[in-house]
Amino acid sequence: MRIKSQADFYSGVMFTAVGGAFAIGSTSYTIGDGARMGPGYFPLMLGVLLAFLGVVIMFQSLVVETIDGDKIGKWAWKPLFYVIAANLAFGVLLGGLPSIGLPAMGMILAIYALTIISSLAGSHFKLRDVLILATILAAGSYVAFIWALKLQIQVWPTFISG
């Protein structure tokens, strides 16, 4: 059998591997059943579903013909760097880094940093648009997590909120 779409085949391999790892990892928790779910039930079902989806995508990549074999392109290093850096900055700003004396900066600043840094991954960057998006995301996150769900997340930096 010949691979007719390399991108789909390797995507399917990745989905199957990640789903299988989650399913296997979830077995160290109590699984339970549909009526009385344990902490391992959701990761197990999600892992099995993801692995099944990966198998379907791999099968489809062997059956469905594509124009040029749908070759895998080069690694997009710039977007990969900025997306990872944005997530790291979000985590550090949200919780702080006590080992170097950096206090928690709160959810609002963390969301602004996440949005600005991750937007640098794209080919078009307009600060005004990014700040509008960050404001909408920060307001939506505040409404969803602080107001509606009543989660105890620090909203502002410690030196502002006291």
Side-chain angles (χ1 to χ4, degrees), residues 53-64:
L53 180 65
V55 169
V56 169
I57 291 172
M58 279 191 297
F59 176 74
Q60 184 179 4
S61 74
L62 298 172
V63 175
V64 176

Side-chain angles (χ1 to χ4, degrees), residues 23 58 68 72 124 131 147 151:
M58 279 191 297
D68 63 347
I72 294 177
H124 304 291
L131 292 176
W147 184 73
L151 295 179

